[in-house]
Amino acid sequence: MTHAPVSDATPQSATPWRMLALLAAAELLGMSLWFAANAARIQLGARWGLDAGQLGWLTTAVQLGFVVGTASAAVLNLADLWPARNYFAVSALLASLANLSLLAAPGYGGALVSRFATGCFLAGVYPPGMKMAATWFRERRGLAIGVLVGALGIGKGIPYLVHALGDPDVFYVVTLPSLGAVGAAVMIATLYHDGPYPFERRPFDWKLVADVVRHRETRLATSGYLGHMWELYAMWTWMPAFLAAGFAAAGAAPDRRAADLATFFVLVAGAGGCVWGGWAAGGLGYSRVVTIAMAASGACCLTVGLVFGASPWLLMPLVLVWGFFVVADSAQFSAMVTEYAPRHAVGTALTLQTSVGFLLTTVTIQGLPVLVAHTGWRWAFTVLALGPACGIAAIARLGARPPSTTRAHPAAPSRV
C-alpha cells in the first residue's frame, strides 16, 4: 500500500494510519457524551418524576442541538475560518462543559438545555473529525471513514458501559464521559496535523437548496439516508429499555445494568459493521452496500419481536446482528451524496442531508414510547422497518452506480 506523501510542515511521525488512530480515539472519547443522560435515565427519571416520553426528550434534545450546531457551522463556514484541530478541540471542551452542566440542572427544563447545548457543540467534533481523516486518505478513504464512524459508535456506548460496570450514580455516568471529551480535545490540539489531501471548499449556500432538492439523484440518495436515520437513533436510544423488558419477560431478575452492558456490545457490533461497510463499498459499490445493510437491519426490526421474552442466548445474537447492520451503511450514504450532487452544491447537499436526517430521528425517538404504551415492547420495533424499506426503494430507483466514480476529493465524508 502506498502512503500519502507528507508535506514539509507535517512531522514525519504523522502517518495516515497513526493520524487515523488518533482521530478514532478522539472521536470515541468525544462522542461518549451523546447518550450520557439516556444511560442515567432511571436515576434522572426518579429524580424528576419523568415518564418515557420525557426521558426520550433527553436524547431528542441532543439531536436537535446537533441539527442547530451543524447548520450554524455550515452557514457561518466555521470549518474554513478556524484550523481544524482548534475547531475540534474547542468544540470538545465546550461539549464537555455543557454535559457537566447536567449535574447542576435544577430541574427537567435545565436538563433539556444542557442536552441541547451538548448536541450543538458536538457538531464541532463529529463532522470535522471525518473531514480531518479525509485529508489523510484518498484511495482508502471509505475504509478510513468507516473506522472513524465505528469508533464514534463505540464512544456513544461508553455511558452504558460506565452505568453497567461502575457506580450507576448520575455523577459518574455524566462526569467520566466529560473527562473523556477533555482528553479528546487535548489529544487533537497537541498531536493532530492535517494531511496532504485537502478537499475543495464548497460552503453551504441557501440559494443552492432549491438546486439540491430538484436534483433527482441527490434527492434519492438523501431519501435512502432518511430511511436509515428513521431506524438508527430510535434503536440506539431505546435498546436498553427493550432489553431490560425482554430479560424480565424471560423470567430473569430485573437487572438494568445487564441491559446497559448488552447495549454497549450492540454498539460495539456496529463498529464492526462500519468497518465492513467501508471495506465492502470499494468492491461492491455504495448502492449495494447500503441495500444489503438496510435489508438486514429491516429484517431484524421485523423479527426481533419473535424472540422477545425468550432466553437471552436467543435474543442477544439477533440484536448483535442488528447492531452490526443498522449503522454499517452510515458513511456510504454521505459518500453517495458527494458523488451524485451537483459539484457546485455538494456542501449544501451534505448539510441539508444531515439536518433533515437528524430532525427525522426525533419522530421515532419520541414516537416509540407512545407505541410501546399501546402494544408493549414485543412488536414496537417493527415500525422502524418502514425506514429501511423506503430507503431500499429509493436506492433501487437511483441505480447501481453513481454518474461519476472519478471524484477523488469529496467535499465532506460522513454523517451518521
Side-chain angles (χ1 to χ4, degrees):
M1 182 187 67
T2 302
H3 286 299
V6 179
S7 68
D8 294 338
T10 304
Q12 290 297 316
S13 60
T15 64
W17 294 107
R18 287 178 181 175
M19 287 295 102
L20 180 62
L22 172 68
L23 286 165
E27 288 283 351
L28 187 154
L29 293 173
M31 298 310 293
S32 67
L33 304 174
W34 200 285
F35 286 126
N38 199 51
R41 65 199 176 281
I42 303 304
Q43 291 78 13
L44 293 175
R47 178 183 296 180
W48 294 316
L50 307 180
D51 59 26
Q54 290 171 311
L55 289 174
W57 275 105
L58 293 175
T59 297
T60 298
V62 182
Q63 311 294 110
L64 294 175
F66 185 79
V67 170
V68 171
T70 302
S72 299
V75 172
L76 298 174
N77 210 20
L78 295 182
D80 290 336
L81 295 176
W82 282 6
R85 66 180 180 182
N86 293 349
Y87 183 31
F88 185 111
V90 170
S91 296
L93 286 174
L94 292 175
S96 175
L97 292 174
N99 190 59
L100 282 173
S101 70
L102 180 63
L103 297 176
Y108 178 58
L112 292 180
V113 172
S114 168
R115 301 311 293 153
F116 180 86
T118 301
C120 278
F121 293 126
L122 285 177
V125 173
Y126 195 161
M130 305 300 159
K131 293 180 181 180
M132 290 154 72
T135 68
W136 282 99
F137 292 87
R138 179 178 287 171
E139 293 178 359
R140 307 196 71 178
R141 183 173 287 178
L143 177 59
I145 299 304
V147 169
L148 229 57
V149 174
L152 69 88
I154 296 175
K156 290 180 179 180
I158 291 296
Y160 297 125
L161 182 64
V162 173
H163 189 266
L165 300 181
D167 191 322
D169 186 86
V170 175
F171 177 82
Y172 295 101
V173 177
V174 171
T175 300
L176 290 179
S178 290
L179 292 176
V182 173
V186 172
M187 290 166 58
I188 294 300
T190 58
L191 299 175
Y192 174 77
H193 298 275
D194 278 329
Y197 300 132
F199 39 80
E200 219 176 306
R201 295 180 180 180
R202 302 188 187 99
F204 179 88
D205 187 343
W206 283 108
K207 292 180 289 187
L208 298 179
V209 170
D211 291 350
V212 170
V213 173
R214 284 194 299 262
H215 190 258
R216 177 181 179 275
E217 289 80 6
T218 306
R219 191 169 63 248
L220 289 173
T222 300
S223 296
Y225 173 77
L226 296 182
H228 157 77
M229 292 296 277
W230 172 269
E231 175 191 16
L232 178 62
Y233 275 88
M235 184 269 208
W236 275 353
T237 299
W238 294 112
M239 182 56 67
F242 171 81
L243 289 175
F247 294 164
D255 189 349
R256 295 190 180 277
R257 288 192 179 191
D260 282 343
L261 183 60
T263 301
F264 171 74
F265 285 114
V266 169
L267 271 77
V268 170
C274 290
V275 175
W276 169 81
W279 172 80
L284 299 177
Y286 303 137
S287 296
R288 291 186 66 186
V289 167
V290 300
T291 299
I292 291 169
M294 286 190 291
S297 64
C300 290
C301 294
L302 295 173
T303 59
V304 73
L306 297 175
V307 291
F308 179 85
S311 166
W313 295 105
L314 292 175
L315 177 60
M316 282 306 301
L318 183 56
V319 296
L320 289 173
V321 170
W322 192 6
F324 182 95
F325 283 108
V326 74
V327 71
D329 47 358
S330 286
Q332 311 318 314
F333 277 114
S334 291
M336 289 177 73
V337 168
T338 65
E339 292 284 359
Y340 281 106
R343 291 190 65 83
H344 68 285
V346 172
T348 300
L350 285 166
T351 301
L352 195 64
Q353 178 198 49
T354 303
S355 298
V356 177
F358 274 85
L359 280 174
L360 184 62
T361 66
T362 66
V363 175
T364 45
I365 290 174
Q366 291 305 128
L368 212 60
V370 176
L371 187 60
V372 170
H374 289 86
T375 67
W377 272 112
R378 179 179 293 276
W379 302 115
F381 276 143
T382 57
V383 71
L384 299 185
L386 292 172
C390 293
I392 290 171
I395 298 305
R397 293 179 62 198
L398 184 59
R401 288 283 177 184
S404 171
T405 57
T406 60
R407 298 182 188 181
H409 303 281
S414 165
R415 277 93 167 166
V416 170

